[in-house]
Amino acid sequence: MMKYSFFPGCSMGSTAKCYRLSLEYVCRQIGMDLYEIDGWNCCGATSAHVMNEVMGLALPALSLAKAEKNFPHLDIATGCAACYSRLKTAAHHCKNDAGVRYQVEKTIGMPYEAKREVLNFMDIFGTEEAMTAMQEKIRRPLKGLKVACYYGCLNVRPAAITGAPDRENPMTMENIISLSGADCIDWSFKTECCGGAHQNDATTETRPLVDVIIRNAVANGAQCIVTACPLCNMNLEMRQKEYERIFGTPRIPVFAFTELIAIAMGAHWNEIALDAHYTDASKIIAEAIRAGKEADVK
Amino acid sequence: MSNRTMASLMRRAKVDPMDCYQCGKCAAGCPMANSMDLNSRQIMHCTQLGEAAYNKLISSEAIWLCTGCNVCHERCPHDVDIPSVIEQARYDAIEKGKIRRKSKIFNDIFLTNLKLTGKSQEAFLALIYNMVSLDIFQDMNSVPHMLRHKLVSVLPEFIKNPKEVSNTMEKSKEWGKAEK
Ligand code: SF4
Ligand code: SF4
């Protein structure tokens, strides 16, 4: 049964347009249902938990309590690493600490039992059921495309919250991307930090973090990077002109992982807004599609 | 203010300072260590020195530069939860008015906007942040692209019921007061 409560998060309606469109496309293809939480609110990342401990738990719990009320039998899906971390942290503490749960329920004015799991889309698309369903829908393999899968921090750490089996070299995204026919490279920076929201308030300190991530991907042969988070995606992609100027960083397209799957399923360029990327990706994608067709003919 | 001490900070963080044997593995993997006035190992050293180093810790810039990436905790051979110490140190710094200037500007704008709309709107926040912090042109060359591809809207967007969010935020602050 592929049904989930869905917490979109703020970026999905704006800067993460490509991610959202491709996510919805893939879900339609494989018959996965996402029920948007009615009246969801911003999880507060990253300012709320930095400034006030209770607020950092109560804001995500408010949305989770609504999900629990409307869809008590569904786990909660979210596509942003920061939302995932905040929602999952709130659920974890409410589940395991009666004192925290009391405080949170008083604060949000709603009961919240934390009965269901919070999941990211790697957890969700990585299940056997979803993998099989996606495999069946691949019509246009992306042959020879070299991809660096970037996880960042919060989808994998801290282990006590995420339960991720491997925090240094996770492979779920590679397994999913392999369905598209693309080749995932081995590289060293897949779980390094992109600086998160500090790209706003500590720019000189955090800009170099992205420079080394991109360089390592390119040095290992990647033609593009894929992410599972709108903020990671924006940090790696949006300022590439600036990086090129300051550090001489090479330019490279950065996709949400669902985009490559959607393309391999046959999504039209406009359907998933591929031209909204900051660095042109049309060449490498067209080449991979052509190579895929040729291999098919042979 | 008696509960704002190193001992109480460590109690709230649920970390025993003596678990750290100063190996430095945490700082070796920390993405921000190069920019920090106290790296993660030195932060743990402060906690071991106790009250004498309390002010040094909570006045440091490092606690505001930490991205919360959790690499330090993940790799520590003794499972020392350094991010938890840093988090509690920040709460104490806020309490004592020692918050780093740019962090204060960014977080204040973020939370004010959240309180009004229930949502975070990246471009809007960036613009206001730049004006207040006087980094006027930071990231502004991305704005035309964002507008052209409708990646951001010119007007702020609201969630269904922003009032619920502002109530939750107000009530959250009351717990802090009750604890003191
Ligand atoms: S890795 Fe752990 S034991 Fe080593 S210095 Fe850091 S906190 Fe201390
Ligand atoms: S959580 Fe903070 S101190 Fe720890 S490694 Fe990350 S940036 Fe460094």
Side-chain angles (χ1 to χ4, degrees), chain A residues 139-153:
Chain A
R139 301 203 166 82
R140 205 167 59 169
L142 303 171
K143 190 130 177 41
L145 183 65
K146 299 260 182 293
V147 182
C149 293
Y150 175 79
Y151 295 75
C153 313

PDB file of all heavy atoms in Angstrom, chain A residues 139-153:
ATOM      1  N   ARG A 139      11.013   3.839 -19.438  1.00  0.00           N
ATOM      2  CA  ARG A 139      10.839   3.672 -20.878  1.00  0.00           C
ATOM      3  C   ARG A 139      12.030   4.199 -21.657  1.00  0.00           C
ATOM      4  O   ARG A 139      12.147   3.976 -22.848  1.00  0.00           O
ATOM      5  CB  ARG A 139       9.637   4.503 -21.348  1.00  0.00           C
ATOM      6  CG  ARG A 139       8.370   4.126 -20.665  1.00  0.00           C
ATOM      7  CD  ARG A 139       7.141   4.513 -21.480  1.00  0.00           C
ATOM      8  NE  ARG A 139       6.010   3.816 -20.901  1.00  0.00           N
ATOM      9  CZ  ARG A 139       5.357   4.255 -19.837  1.00  0.00           C
ATOM     10  NH1 ARG A 139       5.704   5.381 -19.261  1.00  0.00           N
ATOM     11  NH2 ARG A 139       4.341   3.575 -19.340  1.00  0.00           N
ATOM     12  N   ARG A 140      12.849   5.017 -20.975  1.00  0.00           N
ATOM     13  CA  ARG A 140      13.845   5.785 -21.711  1.00  0.00           C
ATOM     14  C   ARG A 140      15.121   5.851 -20.878  1.00  0.00           C
ATOM     15  O   ARG A 140      15.422   6.883 -20.279  1.00  0.00           O
ATOM     16  CB  ARG A 140      13.265   7.189 -21.874  1.00  0.00           C
ATOM     17  CG  ARG A 140      13.768   7.960 -23.031  1.00  0.00           C
ATOM     18  CD  ARG A 140      12.952   9.174 -23.294  1.00  0.00           C
ATOM     19  NE  ARG A 140      12.883  10.110 -22.182  1.00  0.00           N
ATOM     20  CZ  ARG A 140      12.384  11.342 -22.286  1.00  0.00           C
ATOM     21  NH1 ARG A 140      11.918  11.771 -23.423  1.00  0.00           N
ATOM     22  NH2 ARG A 140      12.330  12.135 -21.240  1.00  0.00           N
ATOM     23  N   PRO A 141      15.860   4.755 -20.788  1.00  0.00           N
ATOM     24  CA  PRO A 141      17.014   4.730 -19.888  1.00  0.00           C
ATOM     25  C   PRO A 141      18.056   5.797 -20.226  1.00  0.00           C
ATOM     26  O   PRO A 141      18.266   6.116 -21.400  1.00  0.00           O
ATOM     27  CB  PRO A 141      17.589   3.315 -20.081  1.00  0.00           C
ATOM     28  CG  PRO A 141      16.901   2.733 -21.244  1.00  0.00           C
ATOM     29  CD  PRO A 141      15.648   3.480 -21.491  1.00  0.00           C
ATOM     30  N   LEU A 142      18.674   6.336 -19.212  1.00  0.00           N
ATOM     31  CA  LEU A 142      19.683   7.384 -19.386  1.00  0.00           C
ATOM     32  C   LEU A 142      21.053   6.721 -19.393  1.00  0.00           C
ATOM     33  O   LEU A 142      21.717   6.634 -18.381  1.00  0.00           O
ATOM     34  CB  LEU A 142      19.588   8.390 -18.239  1.00  0.00           C
ATOM     35  CG  LEU A 142      18.226   9.054 -18.078  1.00  0.00           C
ATOM     36  CD1 LEU A 142      18.176   9.865 -16.802  1.00  0.00           C
ATOM     37  CD2 LEU A 142      17.940   9.939 -19.290  1.00  0.00           C
ATOM     38  N   LYS A 143      21.435   6.273 -20.558  1.00  0.00           N
ATOM     39  CA  LYS A 143      22.652   5.455 -20.607  1.00  0.00           C
ATOM     40  C   LYS A 143      23.916   6.300 -20.537  1.00  0.00           C
ATOM     41  O   LYS A 143      24.039   7.308 -21.209  1.00  0.00           O
ATOM     42  CB  LYS A 143      22.634   4.629 -21.902  1.00  0.00           C
ATOM     43  CG  LYS A 143      23.704   3.583 -21.965  1.00  0.00           C
ATOM     44  CD  LYS A 143      23.111   2.238 -22.338  1.00  0.00           C
ATOM     45  CE  LYS A 143      24.148   1.147 -22.502  1.00  0.00           C
ATOM     46  NZ  LYS A 143      25.217   1.087 -21.569  1.00  0.00           N
ATOM     47  N   GLY A 144      24.840   5.844 -19.710  1.00  0.00           N
ATOM     48  CA  GLY A 144      26.160   6.480 -19.655  1.00  0.00           C
ATOM     49  C   GLY A 144      26.230   7.764 -18.858  1.00  0.00           C
ATOM     50  O   GLY A 144      27.300   8.353 -18.726  1.00  0.00           O
ATOM     51  N   LEU A 145      25.099   8.229 -18.347  1.00  0.00           N
ATOM     52  CA  LEU A 145      25.114   9.471 -17.566  1.00  0.00           C
ATOM     53  C   LEU A 145      25.796   9.209 -16.218  1.00  0.00           C
ATOM     54  O   LEU A 145      25.431   8.290 -15.492  1.00  0.00           O
ATOM     55  CB  LEU A 145      23.677   9.965 -17.338  1.00  0.00           C
ATOM     56  CG  LEU A 145      23.529  11.284 -16.587  1.00  0.00           C
ATOM     57  CD1 LEU A 145      24.110  12.439 -17.397  1.00  0.00           C
ATOM     58  CD2 LEU A 145      22.065  11.562 -16.263  1.00  0.00           C
ATOM     59  N   LYS A 146      26.806  10.031 -15.914  1.00  0.00           N
ATOM     60  CA  LYS A 146      27.564   9.840 -14.670  1.00  0.00           C
ATOM     61  C   LYS A 146      27.019  10.752 -13.576  1.00  0.00           C
ATOM     62  O   LYS A 146      27.061  11.971 -13.710  1.00  0.00           O
ATOM     63  CB  LYS A 146      29.040  10.157 -14.902  1.00  0.00           C
ATOM     64  CG  LYS A 146      29.702   9.255 -15.943  1.00  0.00           C
ATOM     65  CD  LYS A 146      30.488   8.149 -15.248  1.00  0.00           C
ATOM     66  CE  LYS A 146      31.205   7.252 -16.225  1.00  0.00           C
ATOM     67  NZ  LYS A 146      30.306   6.441 -17.064  1.00  0.00           N
ATOM     68  N   VAL A 147      26.518  10.130 -12.520  1.00  0.00           N
ATOM     69  CA  VAL A 147      25.799  10.876 -11.484  1.00  0.00           C
ATOM     70  C   VAL A 147      26.495  10.771 -10.126  1.00  0.00           C
ATOM     71  O   VAL A 147      26.908   9.686  -9.725  1.00  0.00           O
ATOM     72  CB  VAL A 147      24.364  10.303 -11.327  1.00  0.00           C
ATOM     73  CG1 VAL A 147      23.579  11.083 -10.286  1.00  0.00           C
ATOM     74  CG2 VAL A 147      23.637  10.302 -12.653  1.00  0.00           C
ATOM     75  N   ALA A 148      26.605  11.907  -9.430  1.00  0.00           N
ATOM     76  CA  ALA A 148      27.070  11.883  -8.040  1.00  0.00           C
ATOM     77  C   ALA A 148      25.863  12.048  -7.128  1.00  0.00           C
ATOM     78  O   ALA A 148      25.168  13.063  -7.196  1.00  0.00           O
ATOM     79  CB  ALA A 148      28.063  13.023  -7.789  1.00  0.00           C
ATOM     80  N   CYS A 149      25.566  11.050  -6.310  1.00  0.00           N
ATOM     81  CA  CYS A 149      24.432  11.141  -5.391  1.00  0.00           C
ATOM     82  C   CYS A 149      24.870  11.860  -4.119  1.00  0.00           C
ATOM     83  O   CYS A 149      25.787  11.410  -3.430  1.00  0.00           O
ATOM     84  CB  CYS A 149      23.916   9.755  -5.035  1.00  0.00           C
ATOM     85  SG  CYS A 149      23.166   8.912  -6.431  1.00  0.00           S
ATOM     86  N   TYR A 150      24.204  12.976  -3.819  1.00  0.00           N
ATOM     87  CA  TYR A 150      24.575  13.779  -2.662  1.00  0.00           C
ATOM     88  C   TYR A 150      23.479  13.685  -1.598  1.00  0.00           C
ATOM     89  O   TYR A 150      22.326  14.023  -1.865  1.00  0.00           O
ATOM     90  CB  TYR A 150      24.782  15.245  -3.097  1.00  0.00           C
ATOM     91  CG  TYR A 150      25.057  16.178  -1.950  1.00  0.00           C
ATOM     92  CD1 TYR A 150      26.328  16.241  -1.372  1.00  0.00           C
ATOM     93  CD2 TYR A 150      24.056  16.994  -1.418  1.00  0.00           C
ATOM     94  CE1 TYR A 150      26.587  17.082  -0.305  1.00  0.00           C
ATOM     95  CE2 TYR A 150      24.307  17.836  -0.351  1.00  0.00           C
ATOM     96  CZ  TYR A 150      25.580  17.878   0.202  1.00  0.00           C
ATOM     97  OH  TYR A 150      25.828  18.719   1.266  1.00  0.00           O
ATOM     98  N   TYR A 151      23.837  13.224  -0.415  1.00  0.00           N
ATOM     99  CA  TYR A 151      22.854  13.048   0.667  1.00  0.00           C
ATOM    100  C   TYR A 151      22.829  14.224   1.626  1.00  0.00           C
ATOM    101  O   TYR A 151      21.811  14.490   2.264  1.00  0.00           O
ATOM    102  CB  TYR A 151      23.171  11.789   1.481  1.00  0.00           C
ATOM    103  CG  TYR A 151      23.052  10.501   0.711  1.00  0.00           C
ATOM    104  CD1 TYR A 151      24.018  10.134  -0.215  1.00  0.00           C
ATOM    105  CD2 TYR A 151      21.974   9.652   0.911  1.00  0.00           C
ATOM    106  CE1 TYR A 151      23.921   8.943  -0.928  1.00  0.00           C
ATOM    107  CE2 TYR A 151      21.860   8.456   0.213  1.00  0.00           C
ATOM    108  CZ  TYR A 151      22.839   8.112  -0.706  1.00  0.00           C
ATOM    109  OH  TYR A 151      22.732   6.941  -1.407  1.00  0.00           O
ATOM    110  N   GLY A 152      23.979  14.893   1.769  1.00  0.00           N
ATOM    111  CA  GLY A 152      24.061  15.952   2.773  1.00  0.00           C
ATOM    112  C   GLY A 152      24.014  15.369   4.175  1.00  0.00           C
ATOM    113  O   GLY A 152      24.311  14.189   4.376  1.00  0.00           O
ATOM    114  N   CYS A 153      23.634  16.202   5.141  1.00  0.00           N
ATOM    115  CA  CYS A 153      23.699  15.798   6.554  1.00  0.00           C
ATOM    116  C   CYS A 153      22.429  15.139   7.064  1.00  0.00           C
ATOM    117  O   CYS A 153      22.423  14.003   7.516  1.00  0.00           O
ATOM    118  CB  CYS A 153      23.931  17.017   7.441  1.00  0.00           C
ATOM    119  SG  CYS A 153      25.212  18.112   6.875  1.00  0.00           S
TER     120      CYS A 153
END
